[in-house]
């Protein structure tokens, strides 16, 4: 079983809808949680970063962490065709060797005009 | 402009051949990383380096080698011992003091076996 699970999708939504993405994990030692966006054949770019539990909002993006359920979410409001990409969750322990990140497999999102 | 560059964009390897992927950064970051990405498996760590002349194995280091002779450069060699090298390879760097949550990625190199 993988440490971090993520539905591969594809998740198809109409333009303007809310995109809801999530990851589950098994290692309770994870304390830092990140979401990356990756366009086809490009490197990932960091979207959101959250420490421990709670919510964080940045423009159209909201990240939520529920450590009791070992579940994290990313919501994209007013989705645009330019949001079509693969979204990767990542997480790490406080004193991970080399600050190592553990990634989910990614969810492919398609926003249709 | 500051950033990470990787070359080449595409690389073809013949059986029994070693190939080297280039990664250069001008962000003045201490830490650098190499990941492998296969469909549906996310990113897996191959090697990382937190300082010049020092590097550590990641989760899937077998069949790979690295060097870190300069702060800006972290080349990855895929040796003939790596039996399934076809993948998308990503290099990343981070400010060691800020942690891996702010890793910056390069554009990647796609390696294909002939």
């Amino acid at each position: 079983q993988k440490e971090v699970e993520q539905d591969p999708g594809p998740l198809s939504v109409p333009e303007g809808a809310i995109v809801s993405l999530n990851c589950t994990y098994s290692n309770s030692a994870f304390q830092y949680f990140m979401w990356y966006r990756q366009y086809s054949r490009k490197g990932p770019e960091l979207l959101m970063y959250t420490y421990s539990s709670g919510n964080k909002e940045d423009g159209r993006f909201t990240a939520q962490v529920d450590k009791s359920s070992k579940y994290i979410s990313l919501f994209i409001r007013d989705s645009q065709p330019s949001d079509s990409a693969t979204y990767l969750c990542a997480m790490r322990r406080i004193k991970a060797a080399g600050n190592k990140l553990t990634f989910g497999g990614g969810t492919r999102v398609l926003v249709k005009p | 402009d500051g950033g990470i560059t990787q070359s080449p964009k595409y690389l073809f390897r013949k059986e029994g051949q070693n190939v080297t992927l280039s990664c250069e950064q001008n962000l003045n970051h201490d830490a650098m990383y190499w990941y492998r990405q296969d469909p549906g498996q996310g990113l897996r760590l191959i090697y990382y380096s937190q300082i010049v002349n020092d590097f550590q194995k990641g989760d899937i280091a077998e069949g790979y080698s690295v060097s870190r002779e300069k702060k800006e450069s972290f080349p990855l060699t895929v040796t003939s011992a790596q039996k399934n090298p076809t993948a998308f390879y990503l290099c990343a760097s981070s400010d060691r003091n800020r942690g891996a949550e702010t890793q910056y990625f390069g554009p990647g190199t796609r390696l294909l076996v002939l």
Side-chain angles (χ1 to χ4, degrees):
Chain A
Q1 185 182 0
K2 295 179 182 178
E3 274 192 291
V4 180
E5 297 280 358
Q6 193 175 1
D7 189 322
L11 177 63
S12 182
V13 300
E15 183 176 356
I18 294 175
V19 176
S20 176
L21 303 165
N22 58 74
C23 288
T24 58
Y25 61 95
S26 57
N27 190 341
S28 58
F30 288 137
Q31 293 284 347
Y32 295 96
F33 303 92
M34 289 131 266
W35 286 95
Y36 285 82
R37 177 176 63 194
Q38 185 177 24
Y39 292 113
S40 181
R41 302 179 187 275
K42 304 289 185 183
E45 57 179 321
L46 181 66
L47 281 177
M48 300 285 284
Y49 151 62
T50 310
Y51 170 67
S52 194
S53 288
N55 295 356
K56 187 173 184 178
E57 190 171 319
D58 184 2
R60 296 186 296 115
F61 300 92
T62 300
Q64 291 183 349
V65 175
D66 181 350
K67 290 187 66 184
S68 62
S69 302
K70 298 191 181 68
Y71 187 91
I72 67 171
S73 302
L74 177 71
F75 300 97
I76 308 173
R77 292 182 298 279
D78 188 25
S79 58
Q80 305 295 312
S82 60
D83 294 323
S84 298
T86 296
Y87 291 80
L88 300 160
C89 64
M91 46 198 79
R92 77 169 175 96
R93 296 177 283 113
I94 287 181
K95 294 187 177 181
N99 289 325
K100 177 196 165 188
L101 295 178
T102 301
F103 284 85
T107 298
R108 185 166 157 246
V109 171
L110 180 61
V111 180
K112 295 185 176 180
Chain B
D1 286 337
I4 301 176
T5 57
Q6 291 186 241
S7 63
K9 190 172 182 180
Y10 295 95
L11 186 58
F12 298 92
R13 193 191 90 164
K14 296 179 181 178
E15 292 289 339
Q17 185 182 36
N18 292 354
V19 292
T20 297
L21 286 61
S22 170
C23 177
E24 303 278 333
Q25 55 98 0
N26 60 4
L27 300 167
N28 199 34
H29 286 166
D30 288 304
M32 296 187 74
Y33 307 81
W34 273 106
Y35 292 91
R36 170 180 171 142
Q37 187 174 31
D38 297 280
Q41 293 199 41
L43 278 65
R44 292 182 290 168
L45 184 63
I46 303 173
Y47 268 98
Y48 64 94
S49 168
Q50 294 186 283
I51 198 167
V52 174
N53 292 322
D54 184 63
F55 48 83
Q56 305 296 328
K57 293 182 179 180
D59 297 322
I60 55 166
E62 186 174 349
Y64 301 97
S65 66
V66 293
S67 62
R68 188 82 187 280
E69 298 176 0
K70 298 187 298 182
K71 187 176 185 177
E72 303 80 18
S73 179
F74 191 40
L76 173 74
T77 296
V78 183
T79 74
S80 57
Q82 172 50 243
K83 298 306 178 187
N84 185 23
T86 298
F88 190 46
Y89 290 87
L90 289 158
C91 178
S93 72
S94 71
D95 182 338
R96 187 175 55 163
N97 293 327
R98 295 192 63 188
E101 59 272 14
T102 49
Q103 282 189 20
Y104 296 89
F105 284 85
T109 293
R110 190 165 297 276
L111 177 61
L112 299 166
V113 177
L114 294 178

